[in-house]
Amino acid sequence: MSADHWWQQGIVYQIYPRSFQDSNGDGIGDLDGIRARLDHLVALGVDAVWISPIYPSPMADFGYDISDYCDIDPRFGTLAGFDALVSEIHARRLKLILDFVPNHTSDRHPWFMQSRSARSDPRRDWYLWRDPAPDGGPPNNWLSNFGGPAWTLDPATGQYYCHSFLKEQPDLNWRNPEVRAAMYEVLRFWLRRGVDGFRVDVLSDLIKDEHFRDNPPNPAFVAGQDPAHRWLPLYSTDRPEMQQIVAELRRVVDAFSDAASSRVLIGELYLPLSRMVAYYGLSAEGVLEGVQLPFNFQLIAAPWQARRIDRLVRDYEAALPAGAAPNWVLGNHDKPRIASRVGPQMARLAAMLLLTLRGTPTLYYGDEIGMTDVAIRPEEVQDPFEKRVPGKGLGRDPERTPMQWSDAPQAGFTTGTPWLRLADDWRERNVESQAGDPASMLTLYRRLIALRRAQPALNRGGYEALESEADVLAYAREFEGQRVVVLLNFGAGAVPLSTTPLPARSIVLASTDPSRGELVQNGSLVLAPYEGVVIGTGSAA
Ligand code: TEU
Ligand code: CA
């Protein structure tokens, strides 16, 4: 396998733009804010920035409802400001990945306004319109991911339109060739402006069953959980026709790739392993024609135990088609933060896991300083998902709070009032306070990233699962004869390692425990509770 592409060797950093840095005091993060904070990304050592949607939007779903695919929302900046950001990002040898939202537009997008204007409108077929059921209700039983039916009646024309998310986010009809052509032009618009790739929103859902059949019951559904899971999304997700679309998207993007700059597609897919790897698009000839990185979200749902994670990594490695690039994710703007899911000590272990597994890591802003979920008072809720399905812990505001930069007012995020409250701990937990602290989470992230960069075994090497004892996860990474062993103690007890073979003349290259020295005595070592170490023969980072 050639591992020459930046998106294989690099690290992706996700910015939720509303929450990263405000530059004009309106309490909302923006592009000039991101521009002002690029040095943080350089100091951290990441390679690419993925920015969640920045296009004109009524903000019903905070930018995932787009009313113009080829402009910048005035709250975030201007096209000229965007171009300036692209040059500054590239000047720092970073890559820029935009969010592409092809499943749905805003209901304020001119395409939808035309489509809904009349049954005879030329754009009628750009969206999914169906007659009511005989009883006047929705055409089938499909549910919106954000609560309620996936169908809303348009009284003026007497038909329902389909929306997998909010009614303000009507689903496009990807069976219509004009829709495809228009959306591919959107990709070209940004590729011409120098964008290095796209994270593709809900990639699996673009094509729906042509007969709009009812989804079957989900036997695992338990009353009280997310109501959208009542049915198995058999006819609304991951249809066979998706593979052709994925290949088309890839060809559009590949046309802009050359030896100097390869462009990447990252697919957002919440699918079982065997279906997720299908989006690499392995052809009969053995060529990978799909997205280069189908997001691997398995660590987000995983029980935090060594044996379970060991199995999950082995299964993933085994399921990858030949030549496929693996990737790993601990969190994003839709899921509870890692530090809240596993606690502050295990979050350090999680950082080591993310940055030493084989595959492109994606890091969610704020996780590098151990930011936690923030409880949002009911009257302060912003997320439409929480508003529509309240009180079930599904809301996404807790993981979207402003980045904590310093102990200046509002953590340095804004001079105004932040759109969402800050975490209570911002005076202590911030980039400035952690930058000089050898024991901080930020220092750990910087060291692990630097080590990954310095050790080809870590960013290019193969993955070898090792047997180990107790609640320890052990694996080796090896490249051109250079071998690194990673040992992660998920348990609350100290573990004297006796069986895991360490490389000859071993030293500790990194530990989650800041007090650990380099020395490995007599080829053996005692792991502290929740300690992770990287063992090798080079010099420590
Ligand atoms: O998320 C798609 C998705 O699957 C979410 O519904 C997710 O399951 C949910 O947030 C529960 O965690 C993408 C975006 O990442 C999300 O922010 C958007 O709201 C959504 O698409 C619609 O565009
Ligand atoms: Ca602003």
Side-chain angles (χ1 to χ4, degrees):
M1 179 182 99
S2 101
D4 292 330
H5 297 294
W6 60 268
W7 43 266
Q8 284 173 285
Q9 286 189 44
I11 295 168
V12 179
Y13 184 94
Q14 180 190 356
I15 290 179
Y16 194 67
R18 283 184 84 79
S19 303
F20 198 61
Q21 178 66 57
D22 176 24
S23 71
N24 63 350
D26 67 357
I28 299 173
D30 45 51
L31 298 187
D32 282 349
I34 295 174
R35 200 142 68 94
R37 292 295 189 183
L38 290 178
D39 288 343
H40 171 65
L41 306 185
V42 173
L44 186 57
V46 299
D47 300 86
V49 195
W50 150 36
I51 308 180
S52 282
I54 48 178
Y55 320 101
S57 164
M59 301 288 167
D61 189 19
F62 295 115
Y64 284 95
D65 50 318
I66 298 168
S67 51
D68 181 352
Y69 284 97
C70 298
D71 204 346
I72 301 292
D73 190 279
R75 276 157 289 204
F76 291 129
T78 60
L79 263 182
F82 174 80
D83 291 340
L85 179 63
V86 175
S87 352
E88 288 214 20
I89 284 177
H90 286 160
R92 286 170 169 80
R93 299 182 172 279
L94 299 170
K95 303 287 185 182
L96 176 60
I97 297 167
L98 288 186
D99 215 306
F100 179 55
V101 187
N103 180 69
H104 44 267
T105 68
S106 161
D107 63 341
R108 312 309 300 163
H109 195 294
W111 297 343
F112 186 69
M113 302 213 289
Q114 289 159 24
S115 183
R116 85 183 314 171
S117 67
R119 289 196 188 201
S120 59
D121 187 88
R123 288 227 162 90
R124 185 66 169 182
D125 184 53
W126 279 41
Y127 293 82
L128 300 168
W129 291 99
R130 305 289 287 173
D131 287 333
D135 69 354
N140 67 21
N141 72 356
W142 296 355
L143 295 173
S144 156
N145 285 300
F146 291 158
W151 298 94
T152 290
L153 181 67
D154 179 55
T157 57
Q159 284 188 311
Y160 282 85
Y161 66 90
C162 179
H163 51 89
S164 303
F165 295 89
L166 300 173
K167 68 175 187 341
E168 292 84 0
Q169 295 169 295
D171 284 14
L172 284 162
N173 175 17
W174 274 78
R175 291 180 189 275
N176 183 316
E178 290 172 10
V179 167
R180 295 194 196 188
M183 293 304 277
Y184 299 156
E185 264 317 300
V186 170
L187 292 175
R188 293 187 191 104
F189 175 87
W190 294 106
L191 288 163
R192 280 188 216 107
R193 292 194 111 85
V195 163
D196 301 289
F198 302 91
R199 172 268 191 189
V200 187
D201 193 59
V202 281
L203 176 61
S204 50
D205 291 19
L206 308 193
I207 285 266
K208 278 79 174 174
D209 178 44
E210 57 180 329
H211 306 299
F212 292 89
R213 280 169 281 189
D214 276 348
N215 278 326
N218 173 4
F221 181 73
V222 185
Q225 74 173 60
D226 186 343
H229 297 164
R230 171 172 296 274
W231 314 119
L232 293 174
L234 182 64
Y235 294 113
S236 48
T237 301
D238 188 30
R239 301 300 301 160
E241 297 94 326
M242 267 316 299
Q243 295 307 319
Q244 189 200 340
I245 294 191
V246 168
E248 286 179 16
L249 288 168
R250 173 67 180 274
R251 282 199 289 276
V252 171
V253 170
D254 270 358
F256 288 78
S257 287
D258 52 43
S261 77
S262 109
R263 319 278 178 124
V264 70
L265 284 174
I266 307 177
E268 190 212 19
L269 303 154
Y270 286 95
L271 294 175
L273 178 59
S274 64
R275 293 307 312 155
M276 179 247 287
V277 296
Y279 285 74
Y280 284 106
L282 180 64
S283 75
E285 294 74 38
V287 180
L288 300 177
E289 297 176 337
V291 297
Q292 292 98 327
L293 300 172
F295 256 146
N296 170 19
F297 292 138
Q298 294 182 94
L299 290 178
I300 292 179
W304 215 247
Q305 296 155 14
R307 294 284 79 78
R308 302 292 287 270
I309 295 191
D310 178 56
R311 170 69 18 232
L312 174 166
V313 179
R314 290 182 200 228
D315 288 349
Y316 179 61
E317 287 278 344
L320 292 170
N327 75 90
W328 296 96
V329 183
L330 289 178
N332 60 38
H333 64 297
D334 295 332
K335 301 292 173 190
R337 282 191 182 269
I338 182 69
S340 291
R341 291 202 322 266
V342 305
Q345 273 179 307
M346 290 271 243
R348 295 174 69 87
L349 203 67
M352 185 171 276
L353 178 69
L354 176 73
L355 293 164
T356 58
L357 283 171
R358 187 175 83 91
T360 308
T362 298
L363 223 147
Y364 184 50
Y365 88 92
D367 283 354
E368 75 275 32
I369 54 170
M371 278 174 64
T372 54
D373 291 341
V374 177
I376 304 295
R377 297 175 189 166
E379 67 275 15
E380 292 177 358
V381 166
Q382 301 284 334
D383 180 19
F385 191 14
E386 178 66 25
K387 286 182 182 169
R388 292 181 46 82
V389 190
K392 291 185 191 287
L394 298 170
R396 302 166 296 176
D397 291 333
E399 62 265 24
R400 296 177 176 179
T401 59
M403 181 67 176
Q404 297 158 209
W405 293 106
S406 70
D407 62 4
Q410 311 294 3
F413 166 70
T414 181
T415 55
T417 308
W419 74 282
L420 193 60
R421 67 163 53 235
L422 282 156
D424 288 337
D425 66 358
W426 62 267
R427 283 183 196 79
E428 303 79 47
R429 183 182 301 285
N430 57 63
V431 171
E432 204 174 274
S433 71
Q434 292 196 9
D437 175 1
S440 72
M441 185 67 128
L442 182 59
T443 300
L444 178 65
Y445 263 96
R446 285 180 178 172
R447 284 205 182 131
L448 290 171
I449 291 172
L451 182 64
R452 187 182 173 92
R453 194 179 292 284
Q455 297 275 338
L458 285 177
N459 64 23
R460 308 189 59 175
Y463 177 85
E464 181 191 338
L466 299 177
E467 296 307 320
S468 73
E469 43 236 300
D471 206 2
V472 174
L473 173 64
Y475 47 90
R477 305 285 316 280
E478 193 165 327
F479 183 74
E480 292 180 349
Q482 186 228 15
R483 188 175 172 85
V484 162
V485 171
V486 181
L487 302 160
L488 304 171
N489 182 8
F490 285 71
V495 181
L497 288 166
S498 45
T499 59
T500 313
L502 301 180
R505 300 182 311 282
S506 288
I507 60 163
V508 177
L509 297 176
S511 168
T512 56
D513 179 349
S515 64
R516 159 88 57 190
E518 270 195 10
L519 208 62
V520 178
Q521 245 155 356
N522 311 323
S524 160
L525 168 129
V526 181
L527 286 178
Y530 308 116
E531 187 189 12
V533 292
V534 183
I535 308 285
T537 49
S539 62

